[in-house]
Amino acid sequence: MQDDKYMTRAIELSRKSFERLDMPIGCVIVHKNEIVAESENYALTNKDFTQHAEVLTMLQTTKKLNSTNLSECTLYTTMEPCPMCSLLIREYRISRVVFALYSTDMGGYSKYPILTDVSLSQKYPKHFGEVPEIKKGFLEDEAAKIWIERKEMKDKGEVYKQEKY
């Protein structure tokens, strides 16, 4: 497994998002040991809260693979997926999720256990895939550096005046 390589790329994307004054989140999707899609967060930049890095990356992947069944894919993200992204992960049947940082407010794993809810696939097997394998806290310290920098700048009032989160 090349988890280091793929999460490092997601962290690089989160840095780009941060430099654009958006939420510093990056996401990569891997299919058969190859990155097929990647994105950074654009929710603040485009004033569209559906433009999370994970959503944009999943949409790119479905187009590239010409399928909504992403069961042979792994999603790498710098932040624990929110409930919206977690539902899409389950709906697209992504089999493995690797994230760096836990979300203190909106975690689709820790706060709202959508990623681990077995009943979704049992009650609605046509709509939701099995519970994905979860690797949590991966390269957490590296991903946290950008968030620490963001907090320091925000505390000084230097960035994120347009932020709605």
Side-chain angles (χ1 to χ4, degrees), residues 21 86 104 108:
L21 305 182
S86 296
T104 56

Side-chain angles (χ1 to χ4, degrees), residues 36-53:
V36 292
E38 61 182 34
S39 185
E40 57 216 63
N41 215 63
Y42 281 91
L44 296 175
T45 304
N46 294 336
K47 296 176 179 55
D48 179 349
F49 295 117
T50 65
Q51 292 195 357
H52 289 197

Side-chain angles (χ1 to χ4, degrees), residues 1 29-33 36 58 61-62 65-75 88-97 125 128-133:
M1 212 44 72
I29 293 183
V30 173
H31 178 255
K32 297 182 179 177
N33 296 316
V36 292
M58 285 184 271
T61 303
T62 61
L65 298 180
N66 196 32
S67 177
T68 57
N69 182 345
L70 306 182
S71 60
E72 294 180 354
C73 294
T74 298
L75 182 144
L88 287 172
I89 287 167
R90 294 296 303 276
E91 210 160 345
Y92 284 126
R93 302 173 186 276
I94 291 174
S95 61
R96 187 165 181 263
V97 175
F128 295 102
E130 296 299 319
V131 169
E133 175 190 338

Side-chain angles (χ1 to χ4, degrees), residues 105-120:
D105 299 326
M106 295 296 292
Y109 170 80
S110 63
K111 185 162 179 141
Y112 304 99
I114 295 164
L115 290 175
T116 57
D117 186 350
V118 175
S119 70
L120 283 174

Side-chain angles (χ1 to χ4, degrees), residues 7-20 22-27 39-41 78-79 142-143 146-147 160:
M7 183 58 80
T8 297
R9 179 61 185 146
I11 292 168
E12 290 169 359
L13 292 165
S14 73
R15 167 65 62 189
K16 289 174 64 176
S17 186
F18 171 71
E19 289 169 356
R20 257 190 306 97
D22 212 310
M23 299 300 282
I25 299 170
C27 182
S39 185
E40 57 216 63
N41 215 63
T78 56
M79 179 65 67
E142 290 86 342
I146 298 167
W147 284 87
Y160 296 101

Side-chain angles (χ1 to χ4, degrees), residues 3 10 23 27 34 53 55 57 60 62 75 105 113 124 132 148 153 157:
D3 288 342
M23 299 300 282
C27 182
E34 183 179 319
V55 171
T57 307
Q60 289 175 33
T62 61
L75 182 144
D105 299 326
Y124 310 104
I148 291 166
M153 291 179 79

